[in-house]
Amino acid sequence: GQNIDQPTEMTATEGAIVQINCTYQTSGFNGLFWYQQHAGEAPTFLSYNVLDGLEEKGRFSSFLSRSKGYSYLLLKELQMKDSASYLCAVRDGDYKLSFGAGTTVTVRA
Amino acid sequence: IAGITQAPTSQILAAGRRMTLRCTQDMRHNAMYWYRQDLGLGLRLIHYSNTAGTTGKGEVPDGYSVSRANTDDFPLTLASAVPSQTSVYFCASSDGGRGDDEQFFGPGTRLTVL
């Protein structure tokens, strides 16, 4: 089976930086995704990593280390609208996505 | 462009009843998926379809069935609903042709089985 771990909750102040870690053990690996999900809404795609290293997209960056089974999502210059759940998902050897339980980020003024 | 739609938005259902959740996409995506999302457990894959005419079982398929008669539609049926099937159900689709293809999610169906 798949095992994907991420913290349950994090709190940060507006304008600050938050790093959400994700560790995984899966049967095969074909990429790691991060999704954002606001309360009561559908998940939306944030980032994709398949090679080791950092991918930057504006205020959001995602890092992957395949040898360590580790990824993080970095949110910079936090805004109130960034309050949401962030889902780490790994595509396994059968090209199916397995999701972590999600990290709820609360941004405080 | 609607993207991916689901119906109904929410439903309260008596245990033992049959229920079909509808999902339609207009992006001509090859692959479609059904997930359930429960508090503390994240999204879990129920069934998937890589292309029209084919389906496969995900992590939690028991009690559910799907069909994929055409590219656009992927209905999920609960033959005889039980309270443990109370959940939020998300349908998703992806192009399926590239390694980095993201999944697009519908707005979800909130199902309560009493």
Side-chain angles (χ1 to χ4, degrees):
Chain A
Q2 324 295 10
N3 189 22
I4 300 170
D5 290 317
Q6 50 183 128
T8 304
E9 295 179 334
M10 302 183 75
T11 302
T13 305
E14 198 173 14
I17 298 173
V18 69
Q19 178 175 314
I20 306 169
N21 296 324
C22 173
T23 58
Y24 64 88
Q25 291 177 308
T26 58
S27 304
F29 179 82
N30 281 297
L32 187 143
F33 295 77
W34 285 95
Y35 283 81
Q36 180 189 58
Q37 185 177 25
H38 285 100
E41 297 183 7
T44 55
F45 170 79
L46 283 179
S47 69
Y48 169 77
N49 295 70
V50 68
L51 300 177
D52 289 353
L54 189 67
E55 294 283 342
E56 297 188 82
K57 268 190 182 183
R59 294 189 299 112
F60 294 2
S61 303
S62 57
F63 172 83
L64 175 67
S65 169
R66 289 173 298 172
S67 62
K68 294 182 179 178
Y70 168 71
S71 172
Y72 68 72
L73 180 69
L74 195 68
L75 315 180
K76 295 176 276 190
E77 301 169 18
L78 278 173
Q79 302 175 9
M80 299 300 288
K81 68 179 181 179
D82 297 329
S83 292
S85 284
Y86 293 85
L87 315 179
C88 175
V90 176
R91 177 178 282 152
D92 65 17
D94 292 328
Y95 278 82
K96 291 193 288 293
L97 276 186
S98 293
F99 285 82
T103 300
T104 300
V105 171
T106 302
V107 181
R108 293 182 174 166
Chain B
I1 297 176
I4 184 164
T5 59
Q6 293 183 235
T9 301
S10 65
Q11 182 76 43
I12 298 174
L13 190 66
R17 297 296 297 268
R18 179 184 180 90
M19 176 74 192
T20 294
L21 308 185
R22 300 184 298 279
C23 175
T24 300
Q25 53 103 359
D26 64 2
M27 297 175 282
R28 307 304 295 170
H29 282 168
N30 290 313
M32 296 187 75
Y33 315 85
W34 274 106
Y35 295 90
R36 59 178 290 172
Q37 187 173 37
D38 302 289
L39 196 62
L41 294 178
L43 286 156
R44 292 182 291 168
L45 183 66
I46 304 170
H47 285 287
Y48 66 95
S49 169
N50 287 330
T51 188
T54 70
T55 62
K57 294 182 179 180
E59 181 185 354
V60 288
D62 294 343
Y64 306 94
S65 63
V66 292
S67 61
R68 186 90 184 276
N70 56 61
T71 298
D72 299 344
D73 301 300
F74 191 43
L76 176 74
T77 297
L78 290 67
S80 179
V82 295
S84 62
Q85 291 177 312
T86 294
S87 187
V88 180
Y89 291 85
F90 286 101
C91 180
S93 70
S94 69
D95 186 49
R98 309 184 319 273
D100 63 344
D101 65 305
E102 64 188 271
Q103 291 186 14
F104 293 83
F105 285 82
T109 294
R110 183 174 297 274
L111 182 68
T112 302
V113 183
L114 301 176

